[in-house]
């Protein structure tokens, strides 16, 4: 069974600073994918970034980067130059790539607040 | 925009009544999913579908049933709603985002069972 752990229920960051949101995972699968989603107060789930377990380089997407440390089973999200609009709940998720359904297992989330 | 709509968006019902939530997609995706979101738990998979009339259970399927008679519609039914099923329900489809096989989510349905 797969498990995602997000140990920071809430985080604060000053506008324009960088912030790291932690995510650790547990799986016995060799092939898997790691995702980050953003959920603003309006409630929708927005896909941010993806990292495959066999990808050698850390994924980047604009101001988002994923710090992937396979041996430590961590997949931390780094947001550079935080903006007020980054205030939201952030979820780390994992997908088993070996099955056909490829459902996601989510962590409990981190509420990020960007301070002006 | 993955063309996913959910209806109703909000519903209040009483314990013991049946409730059906609808997920509609416009892009002919094969895989569809129902999740529930509760504080402290993130999103948990209830059921999923991999084609018309093909469905399977997820992590928290007790008390829920699903049906998919058309590619575009995936229905979630609470046969006899209980207060523990008060939650926000998200439908998702599996699709590509810039080459990444990922899931896109609908806007959610907030269900309150009194």
């Amino acid at each position: 069974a797969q498990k995602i752990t997000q140990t920071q229920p809430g985080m604060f960051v000053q506008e324009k600073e960088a912030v790291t949101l932690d995510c650790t995972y547990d799986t016995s699968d060799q092939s898997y994918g790691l995702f980050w989603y953003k959920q603003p107060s309006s409630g929708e789930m927005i896909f941010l970034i993806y990292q495959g377990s066999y990808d050698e380089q850390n994924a980047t997407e604009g101001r988002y980067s994923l710090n992937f440390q396979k041996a430590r089973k961590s997949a931390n999200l780094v947001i550079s130059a935080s903006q007020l609009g980054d205030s939201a709940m952030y979820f780390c998720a994992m997908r088993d790539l070996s099955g056909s359904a490829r459902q996601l297992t989510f962590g409990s989330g981190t509420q990020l607040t960007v301070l002006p | 925009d993955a063309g996913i709509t959910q209806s109703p968006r909000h519903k209040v019902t009483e314990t013991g009544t049946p409730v059906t939530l609808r997920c509609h997609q416009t892009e002919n995706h094969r895989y569809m999913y129902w999740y529930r979101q509760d504080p402290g738990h993130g999103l948990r998979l209830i059921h999923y579908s991999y084609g018309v009339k093909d469905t399977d259970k997820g992590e928290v399927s007790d008390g829920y049933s699903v049906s998919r008679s058309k590619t575009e519609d995936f229905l979630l039914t609470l046969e006899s709603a209980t207060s523990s099923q008060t939650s926000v329900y998200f439908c998702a489809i599996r699709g590509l985002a810039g080459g990444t096989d990922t899931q896109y989510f609908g806007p959610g349905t907030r269900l309150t069972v009194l």
Side-chain angles (χ1 to χ4, degrees):
Chain A
Q2 299 179 331
K3 185 178 180 181
I4 295 283
T5 302
Q6 294 181 255
T7 57
Q8 306 155 313
M11 289 278 287
F12 292 88
V13 65
Q14 210 67 41
E15 193 178 8
K16 300 180 184 177
E17 292 186 350
V19 63
T20 298
L21 306 183
D22 294 341
C23 172
T24 57
Y25 61 91
D26 190 20
T27 182
S28 57
D29 299 319
Q30 296 301 309
S31 179
Y32 51 88
L34 296 156
F35 299 79
W36 278 92
Y37 284 84
K38 173 184 179 181
Q39 186 179 42
S41 57
S42 51
E44 71 269 31
M45 294 287 289
I46 303 167
F47 165 63
L48 293 178
I49 195 167
Y50 168 80
Q51 179 86 41
S53 58
Y54 291 112
D55 293 340
E56 294 185 352
Q57 291 190 329
N58 287 342
T60 60
E61 196 68 51
R63 293 185 301 108
Y64 304 108
S65 60
L66 201 153
N67 184 1
F68 181 47
Q69 298 187 48
K70 193 170 182 178
R72 301 178 66 177
K73 293 189 175 180
S74 73
N76 298 339
L77 177 70
V78 180
I79 306 175
S80 63
S82 297
Q83 303 173 355
L84 295 178
D86 294 333
S87 293
M89 181 73 86
Y90 289 82
F91 290 98
C92 181
M94 164 182 276
R95 183 182 68 207
D96 172 14
L97 297 179
S98 61
S100 61
R102 302 195 175 187
Q103 61 262 42
L104 296 175
T105 300
F106 284 84
S108 57
T110 296
Q111 180 69 49
L112 176 66
T113 302
V114 180
L115 303 171
Chain B
D1 183 1
I4 308 169
T5 57
Q6 293 184 231
S7 58
R9 295 292 313 279
H10 301 271
K11 186 170 181 67
V12 179
T13 191
E14 294 189 348
T15 297
T17 60
V19 176
T20 295
L21 308 182
R22 179 181 183 238
C23 177
H24 179 79
Q25 55 132 336
T26 60
E27 298 185 359
N28 208 34
H29 293 283
R30 181 183 172 193
Y31 286 88
M32 298 183 75
Y33 309 82
W34 276 108
Y35 292 87
R36 61 177 286 174
Q37 182 180 17
D38 304 291
H41 289 279
L43 279 73
R44 293 179 291 175
L45 181 68
I46 305 172
H47 281 278
Y48 66 94
S49 169
Y50 47 98
V52 172
K53 297 186 180 179
D54 292 321
T55 64
D56 206 346
K57 295 179 179 180
E59 176 189 357
V60 290
S61 60
D62 287 348
Y64 302 94
S65 62
V66 290
S67 65
R68 193 167 178 200
S69 58
K70 298 184 291 185
T71 299
E72 58 265 35
D73 289 325
F74 191 32
L75 304 181
L76 176 70
T77 297
L78 291 64
E79 302 289 349
S80 178
T82 67
S83 58
S84 65
Q85 294 175 312
T86 292
S87 187
V88 179
Y89 292 86
F90 285 96
C91 173
I93 58 93
R94 180 179 160 191
L96 290 177
T100 297
D101 181 355
T102 184
Q103 291 184 16
Y104 292 97
F105 288 80
T109 294
R110 184 173 295 275
L111 175 67
T112 302
V113 183
L114 301 175

